[in-house]
Amino acid sequence: KAGVTQTPRYLIKTRGQQVTLSCSPISGHRSVSWYQQTPGQGLQFLFEYFSETQRNKGNFPGRFSGRQFSNSRSEMNVSTLELGDSALYLCASSLGSFDNSPLHFGNGTRLTVT
Amino acid sequence: DQQVKQNSPSLSVQEGRISILNCDYTNSMFDYFLWYKKYPAEGPTFLISISSIKDKNEDGRFTVFLNKSAKHLSLHIVPSQPGDSAVYFCAASRMDSNYQLIWGAGTKLIIKP
C-alpha cells in the first residue's frame, strides 16, 4: 500500500508570494491533517479535513487555508508569505473514524521563504 | 501555553542500555497518548499509544507508562539500539475534541555504540 505522498519536497518562495502544497493520503483514508514543524516547536496543528469538510482548526492566521477533494487528496495554501512561514509542512492521513486510529505522515514539504 | 511538554531536548544513551523519554501534560482532559519517532527528512512514524484507562502498554522493546495523578508519561526502550537514534514526539488528545493531537517539542535520542 502506498504511503502518504507530499509534493513538492522542497520549495523556495519570496515574501509576499503564495504557495500551494499537495498531499495524497493512503488509499481508504478519509482524514487528512496538516502540521507545521519548526525547530524547537514540535508539530503545530494547522487543520484537519474529513470528507471534504474542515473538522478541526488550529491557531493559525487566515493566510493558511486548505481544502480536501472528493478523492481525499488535500491541498494547503499559504498566501502573503512571511519569513516566519519557513518550516517543514507535514501532512498526515488516517481512517478518521473518531477512534484514535494512528496518523500516517508523509515526508513533508520543506518551505523556505526568502 | 504548552499543554504537552518534553523538557529534555536531547538524550544520549549507551547501546544496549535502557532509554527513558519523558513527557508531561497539563490538561487533565487528555485521554489518549501517543509516541511518534522521526528520522531526519522523513515524517513521524507511529510507535506506541496508551489510553487513560491503562497505566502501561508494551510492544516489543517499547513500553509506555502513564501516571495520571502526576500527568506524566514515559517511553522506555530496552535494549536501546543504534537504529533508535531519532527524535521522539509525545502527543495527547481528547475524545471530545475529535482526537485532535497536541504535540510536545520532541526529544532527540542519540544511541552511542
Side-chain angles (χ1 to χ4, degrees):
Chain A
K1 199 185 240 186
V4 177
T5 305
Q6 288 187 249
T7 56
R9 284 299 307 272
Y10 302 93
L11 208 47
I12 300 175
K13 290 285 188 178
T14 306
R15 261 185 312 176
Q17 287 186 313
Q18 74 157 17
V19 67
T20 299
L21 312 182
S22 180
C23 173
S24 293
I26 289 173
S27 177
H29 285 191
R30 295 170 65 190
S31 168
V32 174
S33 306
W34 288 90
Y35 290 85
Q36 181 195 66
Q37 186 190 8
T38 50
Q41 291 295 314
L43 277 70
Q44 305 294 316
F45 173 73
L46 281 151
F47 28 67
E48 184 232 355
Y49 287 86
F50 180 80
S51 292
E52 301 179 66
T53 302
Q54 188 180 87
R55 190 164 65 174
N56 283 305
K57 188 177 188 305
N59 296 322
F60 277 79
R63 299 186 298 107
F64 292 81
S65 63
R67 60 178 175 167
Q68 186 181 34
F69 302 96
S70 58
N71 61 359
S72 293
R73 192 176 71 83
S74 177
E75 285 182 349
M76 187 191 103
N77 186 76
V78 188
S79 62
T80 321
L81 283 166
E82 299 176 1
L83 294 178
D85 297 334
S86 294
L88 178 67
Y89 289 89
L90 290 160
C91 164
S93 75
S94 70
L95 291 169
S97 52
F98 299 97
D99 63 354
N100 271 322
S101 51
L103 299 177
H104 297 263
F105 284 85
N107 287 333
T109 294
R110 171 74 62 186
L111 172 65
T112 303
V113 182
T114 62
Chain B
D1 173 31
Q2 261 192 310
Q3 297 187 63
V4 178
K5 297 178 186 178
Q6 292 178 257
N7 291 318
S8 299
S10 67
L11 176 68
S12 188
V13 174
Q14 201 72 39
E15 181 181 355
R17 305 293 290 270
I18 183 172
S19 294
I20 299 176
L21 295 106
N22 294 303
C23 179
D24 297 296
Y25 60 96
T26 57
N27 191 335
S28 57
M29 297 292 289
F30 287 142
D31 51 19
Y32 195 67
F33 305 88
L34 307 92
W35 284 94
Y36 281 77
K37 172 178 167 180
K38 185 180 184 299
Y39 293 119
E42 293 183 13
T45 54
F46 171 72
L47 204 52
I48 192 168
S49 63
I50 188 167
S51 161
S52 59
I53 61 172
K54 292 185 170 182
D55 54 20
K56 177 183 173 181
N57 189 25
E58 205 169 341
D59 183 1
R61 296 186 298 115
F62 302 91
T63 304
V64 56
F65 295 92
L66 175 62
N67 182 333
K68 287 186 288 293
S69 60
K71 295 193 183 69
H72 176 84
L73 64 155
S74 60
L75 174 68
H76 292 211
I77 306 173
V78 184
S80 300
Q81 299 174 353
D84 296 331
S85 294
V87 177
Y88 289 78
F89 289 99
C90 165
S93 71
R94 296 167 47 168
M95 185 170 64
D96 64 354
S97 68
N98 291 338
Y99 296 111
Q100 179 184 324
L101 287 175
I102 308 298
W103 296 76
T107 296
K108 183 176 183 178
L109 177 65
I110 301 162
I111 305 301
K112 299 180 292 186

